[in-house]
Amino acid sequence: MKVRDDSSAKWFKLLAYVVVILGCIFCVLPFLLILSGSFSSNESLITSGYHFLPRDFTLDGYKIIFELPQEILRAYGVTIFTTVVGTTTGLFLMTMAGYVLQRKDFKSRNFFSFFIYFTTLFGGGLVPWYLLMTKYLKFGDSYYALIFPGLMTPFLIILMRSFIKSTIPDEIVESSKIDGAGDFKIYYRIVLPLSLPGIATVGLFLALNYWNDWFSSALFINDSSKFQLQFYLYNIMNTASFLATFGGGGVSLSGGVPTESMKMAMSIVVIGPILFLYPFIQRYFVKGLTIGAVKG
Amino acid sequence: MQMYKKTSKWLGLAIILSMLIVALAACSGNKNNNETAATNPAPASTESATAPATPEGLDISKHVNLEFWMLGDAPRDLKKVQDEINKMAEEDLNVTVKFNFTTWTDWDQKYKLMLSTGQPVDLIFTADWTQYQSYAKMGAFLPLDDLLPKAGLKLQELVPQNMWDAVRINGKIYTVPATYKEYVTNGFVWREDLRKKYNLPKPVDVPSFEAYLEGIKKNEANIQPVAIGAGVQDSLQNMLLEIARNEVGQVPYGMFATYDDPTNMTSYWGSPEQLEDLKLFKKWMDKGYFSKNVLNEQNIIQMDKIINGTAASMFGDNPNRFNEILTKMKAAHPDWELEYYPFPLTKGYATPVHPIHNGFAIPKASKNPERALAFYEKMVTDKRYNLLTQYGFEGVNYKVENGYYETIGEESASGFPREGMHGWAWRNPEYMLFPASYDGVNAIFKELDKIEKPDIYTGFAENYTEYQAERAALEQVAKQYLWPLIAGRIDDVEDGLKTFMSKANQAGLEKVQEEYKKQWLAYLQEQGIK
């Protein structure tokens, strides 16, 4: 039997649609401004500002970027490499951690869980972190500096632990033991395949963190051939920002300051691929937000 | 997810706090090390019988690698230049050098991290705007007094004695200053073609500048009379203090002293003079000389407005940047004209850059200080090193025609633009090359040479460890309450100033000002300035 809508339900639906549509518009409009700006001439951007349709249509912004394409292609290469390696390695480490922490026969699991959680409340600070990475681990100017810090994220470990606990009954583990499987075999042959949805979700969060990272490059990388894509973009913005604030000190930079048009084009080049990719993977994000929401 | 966001926000705060604490501890540690090192006499180095005798007293038997650090972005052809330099350096000094650049992203944070974590850096850029004075006082750099006769004799002779004395902190030399004399004093910048067109007065002081702005406002509907930008404290208040009140330098924390009477330091913040100035800015905003929304222009380069014609003037910029604006504007609009009038001509005196303005220091953690200094000496005094690191490869990156520097190819695609390694510190006037457009800057400099007086402000080394927390708090208060006042966004200026002063006093203004003044007066006495 169909539930009859009363008038308040109809109004609520209308209001809900309006709010969601407005939200979508607010998300899309800034992007359209950037897209339009990337096809406008620098002079028109400065003289008459940004518009939803390009004025003085030109491809100059993109020409400047691809004039020396090896730089941006190399940055893409670095980011893709660190994302793939970091995500793959991180998933193994975090699934192992999550699996172990949810095993009831692991007596110290509460201690270790708290220990991991504790690191989200108190950090060592920037200087000790910098010392650790550059002085003790000797990761300066190394890909390790781009991959290592993101491998174990407390939030994702806890998420993985919750997922495994709620998805895999203890009985499966026990029956595997009876059949003679060791702990690693249980993890690798039984727990891992059954955790694929959770792995996909955590993998996406992890990949997104790696893809968007720029701070590791800022702190630890000086070889420009190892700059991450986001840092490459961010640094172009910072060159302009530096000039805007420090001009009074007599600092003059030769060799081309990035134009407004070029910045917009650069943003499109960096954001574009993710935009194309997102529709295919968004259902995993939605599911990811609900995992662990119900205790079980 | 929400919990994660909250904790990460809290985490960020914790990181910042602990960073401050540890950074201070690290700097304090360096300070103690400095005192210890000063009391222990360095063992005299024995001259090896097998060492080449060229640099007398310098032991170059062992091969070393030097870490050279400069701020900003590296030029694309850096690797090629580095390889070429290393060929010469291995032959001359038995060293190889790696040129490192911080980029402009969080450069000040990286600078601090390198100096406070004991990272083995051999050569690093210093300037007044990188807080050379404070770092030197905290012991971040090695004193060069004993190293210079041993490893940098040519440098010692090249740099005038008064310049060495000017960079002393606590009586010691910690950086090698650049010898190129330039002015970064400010001056009015305006569209001369518009001035002629509407028969407006030439801006030489604030009233004539105001008249110019009023004329532009009346006659040009689509041109903003003056380009100001978000940094209103610099672009409005500090410019006014320079041109109209003869400020001794850009004194922080709202303190004020004049060049002629530097011992008389008072609080500009909350004073009747500041109220008068704030009302002037308010009037300018009300009349539409600059936009109501200047505080939103964080990332806009103001000179772009002049180059593209959306603004008609700037309330102060230095000769080099004026020349840059002029060159770029002329490239796009040959029929436009731009003029410049230096503030010093109105004030009656001009201060060339203080020797602290550009320099190179050897951090405390350097493992090869003698070789580092010897290498830097080569960069300054050896023409091959100097030209290569300043301009790149002749015939590939640049050419010289009629004595003028010219870029080969498009500047934006150049592998090594002029001074592409930001070699301001190791400029050598004997080898410097200039583009033809630089003649305008030199003409201004010649005029300012006639009324030259020394910079008595930049030599001051502030030590803010005692009021570090208040200092950070004041910065926030100024941005939140003072900047809107300067931008003319507060209707009741008098009431707004009272509010700002109330907040500033809560943040510890009195303590900061007292301590700063104490240090300032001690500095003046030590330098014999009255």
Side-chain angles (χ1 to χ4, degrees):
Chain A
M1 183 181 87
K2 184 186 176 185
V3 177
R4 184 203 296 265
D5 285 343
D6 60 5
S7 62
S8 65
K10 283 175 185 170
W11 281 112
F12 176 76
K13 266 189 194 173
L14 180 64
L15 184 64
Y17 272 107
V18 168
V19 169
V20 169
I21 289 171
L22 283 179
C24 292
I25 290 173
F26 286 142
C27 289
V28 171
L29 288 191
F31 180 74
L32 286 185
L33 281 175
I34 294 176
L35 184 63
S36 168
S38 72
F39 289 110
S40 305
S41 75
N42 192 57
E43 181 158 354
S44 77
L45 289 176
I46 291 174
T47 55
S48 53
Y50 292 82
H51 297 86
F52 287 110
L53 291 178
R55 291 198 179 179
D56 291 339
F57 180 91
T58 178
L59 295 173
D60 282 350
Y62 292 96
K63 278 178 193 166
I64 293 173
I65 290 169
F66 293 114
E67 192 171 36
L68 297 160
Q70 64 268 22
E71 284 191 356
I72 189 158
L73 289 179
R74 200 171 50 204
Y76 257 108
V78 172
T79 289
I80 291 170
F81 172 76
T82 57
T83 299
V84 171
V85 172
T87 301
T88 305
T89 310
L91 279 177
F92 268 110
L93 295 177
M94 284 194 280
T95 50
M96 283 190 269
Y99 166 64
V100 167
L101 291 176
Q102 62 84 42
R103 280 279 295 262
K104 290 213 166 41
D105 54 336
F106 179 41
K107 298 302 181 193
S108 307
R109 68 181 183 280
N110 285 337
F111 170 80
F112 280 104
S113 290
F114 179 74
F115 193 75
I116 288 168
Y117 171 70
F118 186 82
T119 63
T120 65
L121 302 180
F122 294 93
L126 185 63
V127 171
W129 185 46
Y130 185 85
L131 275 165
L132 175 68
M133 295 285 285
T134 61
K135 209 168 190 180
Y136 297 105
L137 300 178
K138 305 255 190 249
F139 282 170
D141 251 353
S142 158
Y143 285 114
Y144 288 119
L146 303 177
I147 294 171
F148 229 73
L151 287 180
M152 298 282 274
T153 307
F155 167 71
L156 295 180
I157 293 172
I158 291 167
L159 191 68
M160 183 56 64
R161 182 192 68 173
S162 299
F163 177 83
I164 293 175
K165 183 183 283 186
S166 67
T167 305
I168 298 166
D170 290 332
E171 288 76 14
I172 287 184
V173 174
E174 286 168 0
S175 71
S176 303
K177 274 188 189 172
I178 290 170
D179 288 343
D183 280 326
F184 188 77
K185 195 162 190 177
I186 295 172
Y187 158 76
Y188 189 73
R189 294 282 295 275
I190 293 175
V191 173
L192 221 51
L194 290 174
S195 303
L196 280 182
I199 288 170
T201 301
V202 169
L204 286 174
F205 280 114
L206 200 55
L208 202 62
N209 282 343
Y210 276 111
W211 184 270
N212 286 334
D213 187 25
W214 62 269
F215 196 55
S216 302
S217 282
L219 277 189
F220 306 120
I221 303 295
N222 301 292
D223 183 350
S224 59
S225 67
K226 291 174 181 163
F227 282 161
Q228 292 160 306
L229 186 64
Q230 294 295 341
F231 177 76
Y232 184 81
L233 167 65
Y234 192 54
N235 192 49
I236 289 176
M237 304 304 181
N238 274 281
T239 304
S241 195
F242 173 79
L243 281 176
T245 53
F246 266 95
V251 175
S252 61
L253 298 179
S254 53
V257 176
T259 62
E260 293 295 313
S261 182
M262 181 198 169
K263 288 189 227 166
M264 299 305 115
M266 180 65 76
S267 299
I268 297 294
V269 169
V270 173
I271 294 167
I274 286 290
L275 271 184
F276 284 123
L277 186 65
Y278 191 73
F280 301 104
I281 60 179
Q282 68 165 334
R283 68 176 184 279
Y284 292 109
F285 277 108
V286 172
K287 180 159 188 179
L289 293 174
T290 59
I291 284 175
V294 178
K295 276 196 170 182
Chain B
M1 197 61 179
Q2 187 171 349
M3 183 194 76
Y4 181 66
K5 280 183 179 175
K6 278 183 182 174
T7 55
S8 69
K9 192 173 179 180
W10 203 96
L11 177 65
L13 180 62
I15 286 176
I16 291 166
L17 288 175
S18 55
M19 180 188 81
L20 285 175
I21 294 166
V22 179
L24 282 175
C27 290
S28 299
N30 284 345
K31 186 175 182 179
N32 293 337
N33 288 344
N34 185 36
E35 286 164 4
T36 305
T39 53
N40 292 336
S45 69
T46 52
E47 188 173 317
S48 171
T50 55
T54 329
E56 200 161 349
L58 183 68
D59 178 10
I60 62 169
S61 55
K62 182 189 170 192
H63 181 270
V64 300
N65 184 70
L66 301 175
E67 296 286 341
F68 182 106
W69 278 87
M70 185 53 201
L71 308 185
D73 294 308
R76 289 186 192 96
D77 285 355
L78 177 72
K79 188 70 169 62
K80 294 173 189 168
V81 168
Q82 181 174 283
D83 290 344
E84 193 64 28
I85 288 287
N86 280 334
K87 283 183 201 166
M88 298 188 282
E90 289 214 79
E91 190 179 325
D92 294 337
L93 298 168
N94 199 13
V95 305
T96 51
V97 63
K98 184 171 192 290
F99 293 115
N100 302 279
F101 286 78
T102 59
T103 78
W104 294 120
T105 298
D106 292 340
W107 61 268
D108 48 349
Q109 199 170 60
K110 291 176 84 165
Y111 194 87
K112 184 190 295 180
L113 280 169
M114 285 192 285
L115 293 176
S116 64
T117 60
Q119 185 169 326
V121 175
D122 296 295
L123 285 158
I124 196 165
F125 176 74
T126 63
D128 48 349
W129 49 276
T130 66
Q131 278 93 57
Y132 161 74
Q133 303 93 314
S134 296
Y135 278 112
K137 192 155 236 182
M138 291 190 282
F141 308 123
L142 279 177
L144 304 177
D145 307 63
D146 298 327
L147 278 177
L148 281 163
K150 192 185 302 180
L153 199 56
K154 280 186 193 170
L155 275 179
Q156 194 175 41
E157 288 162 3
L158 175 76
V159 178
Q161 186 61 43
N162 63 295
M163 278 191 161
W164 288 121
D165 293 337
V167 299
R168 287 184 187 276
I169 303 292
N170 292 338
K172 294 263 183 196
I173 296 169
Y174 291 101
T175 191
V176 181
T179 55
Y180 174 63
K181 185 185 182 188
E182 64 178 326
Y183 293 85
V184 294
T185 51
N186 291 296
F188 296 106
V189 180
W190 73 89
R191 285 276 300 275
E192 174 70 354
D193 53 308
L194 297 179
R195 190 188 76 79
K196 288 173 179 172
K197 185 177 176 186
Y198 303 117
N199 195 30
L200 305 177
K202 179 179 173 181
V204 299
D205 52 19
V206 174
S208 54
F209 185 62
E210 267 192 296
Y212 179 88
L213 299 181
E214 177 65 16
I216 296 293
K217 186 64 188 175
K218 271 180 182 162
N219 294 291
E220 291 280 354
N222 292 318
I223 298 187
Q224 186 180 316
V226 62
I228 293 295
V232 288
Q233 186 165 304
D234 280 337
S235 56
L236 275 173
Q237 182 177 274
N238 288 345
M239 292 305 175
L240 189 69
L241 290 172
E242 184 176 338
I243 176 68
R245 299 199 185 278
N246 274 10
E247 191 176 30
V248 66
Q250 284 190 9
V251 185
Y253 318 128
M255 299 296 282
F256 177 80
T258 62
Y259 186 91
D260 297 324
D261 191 13
T263 58
N264 182 20
M265 176 166 274
T266 57
S267 178
Y268 172 74
W269 279 356
S271 69
E273 289 81 11
Q274 188 188 27
L275 182 58
E276 183 187 338
D277 295 346
L278 290 174
K279 285 178 175 174
L280 178 74
F281 301 142
K282 172 73 172 150
K283 182 172 76 165
W284 287 10
M285 199 279 293
D286 287 340
K287 284 174 174 278
Y289 297 163
F290 58 84
S291 166
K292 289 179 195 291
N293 298 313
V294 283
L295 293 178
N296 291 331
E297 297 179 2
Q298 261 93 24
N299 282 306
I300 293 175
I301 299 167
Q302 293 304 305
M303 66 186 199
D304 277 347
K305 290 182 172 179
I306 307 289
I307 292 165
N308 290 278
T310 51
S313 69
M314 290 177 79
F315 186 32
D317 212 337
N318 67 64
N320 263 292
R321 278 166 56 91
F322 158 71
N323 191 58
E324 192 181 335
I325 298 167
L326 174 64
T327 305
K328 289 181 175 175
M329 187 195 76
K330 279 290 190 181
H333 306 279
D335 53 321
W336 294 0
E337 290 173 46
L338 203 69
E339 276 294 339
Y340 183 81
Y341 190 84
F343 288 172
L345 295 187
T346 298
K347 301 196 295 181
Y349 68 93
T351 55
V353 292
H354 193 278
I356 283 176
H357 189 67
N358 286 312
F360 251 80
I362 300 178
K364 177 69 66 177
S366 170
K367 294 183 163 71
N368 311 290
E370 289 177 8
R371 213 80 69 90
L373 187 58
F375 175 78
Y376 189 70
E377 182 188 65
K378 283 288 183 185
M379 289 193 54
V380 178
T381 63
D382 191 310
K383 190 172 186 178
R384 302 169 300 159
Y385 288 71
N386 192 269
L387 290 182
L388 195 50
T389 52
Q390 292 286 13
Y391 313 114
F393 293 92
E394 187 170 4
V396 177
N397 300 120
Y398 75 99
K399 62 189 174 185
V400 182
E401 281 199 353
N402 301 319
Y404 289 119
Y405 167 98
E406 273 185 42
T407 303
I408 294 179
E410 280 292 323
E411 190 174 84
S412 63
S414 173
F416 204 107
R418 183 178 180 273
E419 295 187 334
M421 284 177 64
H422 314 310
W424 313 305
W426 64 92
R427 288 164 168 162
N428 190 328
E430 188 181 340
Y431 307 137
M432 284 180 83
L433 301 172
F434 297 100
S437 61
Y438 201 77
D439 284 354
V441 177
N442 275 327
I444 296 172
F445 285 176
K446 280 199 176 85
E447 255 191 302
L448 299 183
D449 281 344
K450 298 170 188 169
I451 51 177
E452 180 195 340
K453 280 188 181 179
D455 180 344
I456 61 176
Y457 168 71
T458 308
F460 174 53
E462 178 194 359
N463 183 349
Y464 48 74
T465 50
E466 268 186 42
Y467 48 89
Q468 173 83 42
E470 287 86 356
R471 181 176 186 264
L474 275 180
E475 201 171 316
Q476 280 306 308
V477 167
K479 266 194 178 171
Q480 192 174 339
Y481 293 95
L482 177 60
W483 286 33
L485 273 166
I486 299 173
R489 301 290 284 155
I490 309 295
D491 285 334
D492 190 337
V493 177
E494 202 153 347
D495 191 55
L497 185 55
K498 277 178 188 155
T499 301
F500 164 68
M501 287 308 294
S502 166
K503 298 291 181 182
N505 285 324
Q506 282 176 37
L509 177 65
E510 223 167 287
K511 174 182 175 181
V512 174
Q513 287 190 335
E514 275 175 16
E515 179 60 29
Y516 186 87
K517 180 172 180 176
K518 197 169 81 181
Q519 291 185 31
W520 170 253
L521 294 178
Y523 156 78
L524 291 178
Q525 185 164 353
E526 174 194 329
Q527 297 285 318
I529 301 171
K530 295 176 182 177

